[in-house]
């Protein structure tokens, strides 16, 4: 057959102008024009902005081949379904047994940017089975190739001659028909010639690795040379002799895929959303702020390894791999499009993980305990918005308390009133004293803990929850006999005068343990007032006036002296007001250190002054005794 035709043009071809006569300078031209596309500029846009890596070229080739086979099988269910890739000396050849193209198809589809073959007439009914939908297609291959040659024969028009389309990265292409023996069977062969500096992407080892990464779950027979690419069924769909064998196999799959051995695996099966896959539980704790990267396959083709919005925020303790046919990809086909479908899938997958946790609580407490020892933060994040989950996890979620590390359920059984602090600093202030007085306290200063404690009455009716503040602690301490306190009026006045500039009152109480000489107590309101006062002192007249108008009536911090402590008794018997003041400053500084509170510059200066004052008193006293 010698009836070959040849055509050369630029991408895209401008449409004929309906009016060719010249326009006068007085009249603006109304002749329509077409957009012109610089193909090299477009390739630069694809490689540097749309795609994350040149490797996507192979995904585009596999995608086109698989979609072509899907289109042919929609009309010929028994048609062959094979894709073969051959890498050889800086070039790549990809053959498929798909639907093929006619010369008209080539002009309409391969040479027109933005038009997808999936929208072509006759293919619309099969479009739901296609992977690509944006019409960029083979142009993405220019990221690694300087020339693309396509030889194709249509299965729909068997009498049509094979057609060859050759394009170069300068934007030009040629089309010609070939003899019948150039392509005896329907299908398409794509030849890539690598561009300078891109040869590494076309080596056989690299092509095989990329093909397995992108196409391991594709439903057709895909091979690179003689090496199989597909590995079906997927690990989560295979039959195993026992649940233990399944866990071992999935653990191996997780290690190969993500590089870690999981604590457990969770089946993700949402038939209505066309989703099958597995979630792997991380073996170590991660930050809730760390975005997880999940692997998502679309109809068998790897879409992305970094899907971040696939699961609810609280499920940061798992990594997923799944296959879907319902989620929409973005234009780059490297991320998921945020829409109602993705939101529904996210909720459904979250429900699968929630059900797994509930099942562990009901039937496998040892595995649940092992999980919570690492990932209790994620479960707490879920439980604060899910009353049923909070109720289920009450016997299991650990909290720091004055009775040790306990669950909320066990702590509530021990104490008629569940006291808690909102910050770690407040807990450290009151924990030793409250414990000695028999008052149970939960440290609510860690992430989500105070929210869960406050929600306790909603899932455990009758439970009384109260925030423990400085007033409550002071109220639980024994008052000193009025006569004894009256006798110490001079001592207390000297002590109060010394700490008044620091915004701290002095209170005398009797409490256990005896080894604690003093307790520093304040609350958020007192700290806020203290910070305001410090800012007022350092501000200019204008800001000092503004800050002064904000002065509140909040209670001040207080230093609670333990009348039962021998050291405090000896200090209270001193007759020298200056020495009492120095000793009081020392007790104040020691109480701050015991509470592990951050020291302000004024506090550090006080500690230094008190230390030197006591040394001076001790050495002068020693000289006097000599």
């Amino acid at each position: 057959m010698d009836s070959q035709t040849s055509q050369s043009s630029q991408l895209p071809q401008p449409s004929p102008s309906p009016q060719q006569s010249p326009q006068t300078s007085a009249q603006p031209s109304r002749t329509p024009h077409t957009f012109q596309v610089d193909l090299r500029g477009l390739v630069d846009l694809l490689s540097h902005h749309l795609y994350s890596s040149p490797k996507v070229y192979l995904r585009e080739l596999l995608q086109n081949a698989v979609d072509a086979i899907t289109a042919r099988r929609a009309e010929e269910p028994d048609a062959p379904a094979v894709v073969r890739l051959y890498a050889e000396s800086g070039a790549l050849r990809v053959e498929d047994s798909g639907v093929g193209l006619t010369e008209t198809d080539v002009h309409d589809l391969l040479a027109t940017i933005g038009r997808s073959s999936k929208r072509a007439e006759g293919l619309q009914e099969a479009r739901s089975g296609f992977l690509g939908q944006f019409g960029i297609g083979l142009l993405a291959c220019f990221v690694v190739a300087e020339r693309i040659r396509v030889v194709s024969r249509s299965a729909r028009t068997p009498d049509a001659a094979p057609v060859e389309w050759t394009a170069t990265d300068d934007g030009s292409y040629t089309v010609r028909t070939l003899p019948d023996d150039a392509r005896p069977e329907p299908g398409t062969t794509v030849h890539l010639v690598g561009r300078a500096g891109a040869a590494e992407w076309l080596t056989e080892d690299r092509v095989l690795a990329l093909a397995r990464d992108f196409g391991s779950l594709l439903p057709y027979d895909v091979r690179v040379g003689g090496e199989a690419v597909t590995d079906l069924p997927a690990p989560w769909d295979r039959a195993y002799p026992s649940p233990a064998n399944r866990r071992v196999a999935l653990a191996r799959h997780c290690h190969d895929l993500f590089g870690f051995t999981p604590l457990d695996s969770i089946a993700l099966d949402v038939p209505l959303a066309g989703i099958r896959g597995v979630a792997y539980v991380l073996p170590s704790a991660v930050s809730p702020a760390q975005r997880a990267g999940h692997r998502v396959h679309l109809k068998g083709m790897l879409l992305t390894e970094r899907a971040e919005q696939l699961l609810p925020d609280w499920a940061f303790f798992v990594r997923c791999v799944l296959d879907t046919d319902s989620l929409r990809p973005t234009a780059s086909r490297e991320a998921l499009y945020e829409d109602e479908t993705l939101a529904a899938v996210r909720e459904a997958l979250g429900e699968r993980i929630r059900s797994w946790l509930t099942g562990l609580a009901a039937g496998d407490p040892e595995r649940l305990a092992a999980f919570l020892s690492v990932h209790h933060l994620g479960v707490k994040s879920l439980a604060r918005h899910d009353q049923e989950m909070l109720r289920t996890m009450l016997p299991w979620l650990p909290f720091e308390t004055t009775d040790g590390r306990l669950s909320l359920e066990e702590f509530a059984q021990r104490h008629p009133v569940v006291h808690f602090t909102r910050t770690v600093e407040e807990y450290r202030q009151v924990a030793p004293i409250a414990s000695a007085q028999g008052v149970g306290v939960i440290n609510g200063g860690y992430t989500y803990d105070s929210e869960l404690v406050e929600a306790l009455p909603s899932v455990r009716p009758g439970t009384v929850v109260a925030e423990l503040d400085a007033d409550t602690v002071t109220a639980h301490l024994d008052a000193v006999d009025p006569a004894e306190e009256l006798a110490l009026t001079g001592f207390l006045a000297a002590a109060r005068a010394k700490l008044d500039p620091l915004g701290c009152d002095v209170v005398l109480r009797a409490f256990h343990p005896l080894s604690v000489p003093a307790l520093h107590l304040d609350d958020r309101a007192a700290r806020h007032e203290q910070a305001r006062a410090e800012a007022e002192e350092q501000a200019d007249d204008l800001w000092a006036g503004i800050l002064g108008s904000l002065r509140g009536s909040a209670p001040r911090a207080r230093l609670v002296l333990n009348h039962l402590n021998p050291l405090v008794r000896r200090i209270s018997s001193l007759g020298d007001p200056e020495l009492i003041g120095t000793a009081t400053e020392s007790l104040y500084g020691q109480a701050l250190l015991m509470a592990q509170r951050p020291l302000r510059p004024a506090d550090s200066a006080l500690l230094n002054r008190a230390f030197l004052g006591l040394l001076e008193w001790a050495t002068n006293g020693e000289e006097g005794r000599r």
Side-chain angles (χ1 to χ4, degrees):
M1 177 176 180
D2 196 31
S3 60
Q4 299 179 1
T5 63
S6 178
Q7 180 175 358
S8 176
S9 63
Q10 297 290 317
L11 287 173
Q13 300 179 63
S15 59
S17 172
Q19 185 176 1
Q20 300 294 334
S21 60
Q23 302 292 318
T24 65
S25 60
Q27 295 179 342
S29 171
R30 297 182 180 276
T31 304
H33 300 278
T34 59
F35 286 101
Q36 301 299 308
V37 178
D38 180 348
L39 185 58
R40 285 178 176 160
L42 179 60
V43 169
D44 180 73
L45 178 67
L46 293 176
S47 60
H48 292 97
H49 301 284
L50 185 62
Y51 295 134
S52 62
S53 166
K55 69 181 182 181
V56 297
Y57 88 92
L58 193 71
R59 184 194 62 198
E60 295 293 338
L61 290 172
L62 287 176
Q63 178 176 288
N64 287 342
V66 169
D67 285 346
I69 293 172
T70 301
R72 183 177 180 184
R73 283 203 155 187
E75 301 175 4
E76 304 175 49
D78 296 329
V82 295
V83 181
R84 297 290 183 266
L85 297 91
Y86 303 95
E88 44 198 29
S89 61
L92 179 66
R93 184 172 87 256
V94 182
E95 300 179 354
D96 70 67
S97 59
V99 68
L101 301 171
T102 64
E103 183 177 355
T104 301
D105 294 335
V106 165
H107 284 293
D108 288 345
L109 304 177
L110 297 187
T112 305
I113 299 171
R115 180 180 299 170
S116 171
S117 62
K118 290 73 179 175
R119 292 190 289 270
E121 183 180 357
L123 298 185
Q124 186 66 32
E125 67 276 5
R127 186 168 182 252
S128 63
F130 295 134
L131 303 175
Q133 299 180 14
F134 292 96
I136 297 175
L138 284 176
L139 291 181
C141 294
F142 280 120
V143 172
V144 298
E146 65 178 13
R147 184 163 59 92
I148 303 174
R149 176 172 169 259
V150 178
V151 176
S152 187
R153 183 163 195 158
S154 174
R156 288 201 182 91
T157 312
D159 295 337
V163 61
E164 177 192 72
W165 177 84
T166 303
T168 57
D169 61 1
D170 64 0
S172 64
Y173 72 92
T174 61
V175 178
R176 62 171 182 159
T177 57
L178 300 176
D180 283 345
D181 57 2
R183 178 83 200 195
E185 299 296 328
T188 300
T189 301
V190 179
H191 303 262
L192 299 188
V193 176
R195 65 169 56 248
E200 62 171 307
W201 294 102
L202 301 177
T203 63
E204 184 171 11
D205 289 344
R206 178 62 68 92
V207 169
L208 178 59
L210 292 178
R212 283 177 171 167
D213 195 37
F214 283 119
S216 62
L217 301 184
L218 290 174
Y220 305 134
D221 180 13
V222 181
R223 296 176 182 271
V224 176
E227 296 287 337
V229 168
T230 52
D231 185 20
L232 295 176
W236 51 84
D237 284 332
R238 295 172 189 169
Y240 297 98
S242 68
N245 290 104
R246 176 183 173 82
R247 279 197 296 270
V248 170
L250 290 180
R252 187 182 306 112
H253 174 250
C254 176
H255 189 274
D256 293 341
L257 203 60
F258 294 116
F260 65 86
T261 301
L263 284 178
D264 207 346
S265 56
I266 308 168
L268 301 179
D269 184 6
V270 188
L272 292 179
I275 286 178
R276 295 280 298 169
V278 62
Y280 293 116
V281 181
L282 292 168
S284 57
V286 293
S287 167
Q290 180 178 332
R291 287 291 183 180
H294 307 292
R295 286 178 64 96
V296 177
H297 296 255
L298 179 62
K299 302 180 181 71
M301 181 74 74
L302 178 66
L303 180 69
T304 178
E305 299 174 280
R306 299 182 301 276
E308 295 182 349
Q309 305 297 332
L310 188 63
L311 296 180
D313 290 341
W314 56 262
F316 53 82
F317 51 84
V318 298
R319 295 291 181 270
C320 294
V321 53
L322 55 83
D323 188 25
T324 176
D325 58 17
S326 63
L327 299 178
R328 289 176 57 194
T330 59
S332 67
R333 289 190 287 275
E334 293 186 295
L336 296 172
Y337 187 80
E338 185 70 46
D339 57 10
E340 294 180 357
T341 302
L342 179 57
V345 165
R346 182 161 50 236
E347 183 177 349
L349 295 179
E351 182 58 38
R352 293 296 182 274
I353 299 174
R354 185 185 291 108
S355 298
W356 170 78
L357 285 169
T358 304
L360 287 186
D364 201 338
E366 290 185 2
R367 285 172 65 199
L368 178 62
F371 167 76
L372 290 177
S373 67
V374 179
H375 296 300
H376 57 273
L377 203 58
V379 179
K380 287 180 178 180
S381 176
L382 168 61
R384 65 193 176 119
H385 298 304
D386 189 326
Q387 286 193 356
E388 188 57 39
M389 181 56 62
L390 177 57
R391 183 179 294 107
T392 300
M393 291 295 158
L394 273 182
W396 307 103
L397 287 176
F399 288 77
E400 182 180 354
T401 79
T402 49
D403 294 350
R405 199 159 180 81
L406 299 176
S407 69
L408 283 180
E409 178 67 30
E410 188 174 357
F411 187 85
Q413 290 174 356
R414 294 185 182 187
H415 300 278
V417 178
V418 177
H419 289 101
F420 73 99
T421 63
R422 291 193 181 275
T423 68
V424 175
E425 290 80 6
E426 291 172 351
Y427 177 80
R428 288 170 178 166
Q429 284 181 23
V430 304
I433 308 304
S435 180
Q437 306 303 314
V439 178
V441 185
I442 295 176
N443 184 356
Y446 296 113
T447 308
Y448 311 131
D449 282 8
S450 61
E451 296 176 70
L452 295 178
V453 174
E454 290 181 296
L456 191 55
S458 66
V459 296
R460 196 177 189 274
T463 303
V464 179
V465 173
E467 183 177 353
L468 191 66
D469 55 20
D471 289 334
T472 305
V473 175
T474 305
H476 278 84
L477 305 180
D478 295 333
V480 178
D481 181 85
E484 292 187 48
E485 188 167 1
L486 183 61
L488 297 175
T489 300
F491 160 70
L492 292 174
R496 288 166 180 157
K498 199 66 176 179
L499 295 187
D500 184 69
L502 296 173
C504 183
D505 292 331
V506 177
V507 179
L508 188 64
R509 292 289 187 271
F511 56 87
H512 292 274
L514 300 180
S515 59
V516 177
L519 176 66
H520 181 271
L521 293 177
D522 64 1
D523 53 24
R524 287 181 301 281
R527 290 194 292 274
H528 176 74
E529 174 61 21
Q530 189 179 61
R532 187 210 59 78
E534 290 177 355
E536 182 181 356
E537 290 179 1
Q538 299 173 8
D540 57 28
D541 292 342
L542 174 62
W543 281 109
I546 295 174
L547 291 170
S549 67
L550 299 176
R551 183 181 296 111
S553 58
R556 306 205 306 171
R558 67 200 69 175
L559 181 68
V560 184
L561 300 177
N562 188 359
H563 188 53
L564 301 180
N565 181 266
L567 177 61
V568 172
R569 283 181 173 273
R570 287 195 295 271
I571 294 174
S572 66
S573 65
L574 296 173
D576 183 353
E578 185 175 347
L579 183 55
I580 290 175
T582 301
T584 302
E585 286 181 330
S586 298
L587 292 175
Y588 173 83
Q590 189 264 353
L592 286 180
L593 294 175
M594 289 297 293
Q596 301 183 42
R597 291 290 304 278
L599 299 180
R600 301 169 297 164
D603 297 330
S604 299
L606 175 145
L607 278 172
N608 185 56
R609 183 172 64 248
F611 176 72
L612 294 177
L614 290 176
L615 280 180
E616 184 176 353
W617 176 83
T619 54
N620 287 339
E622 182 65 25
E623 290 176 0
R625 286 190 289 274
R626 289 178 183 174

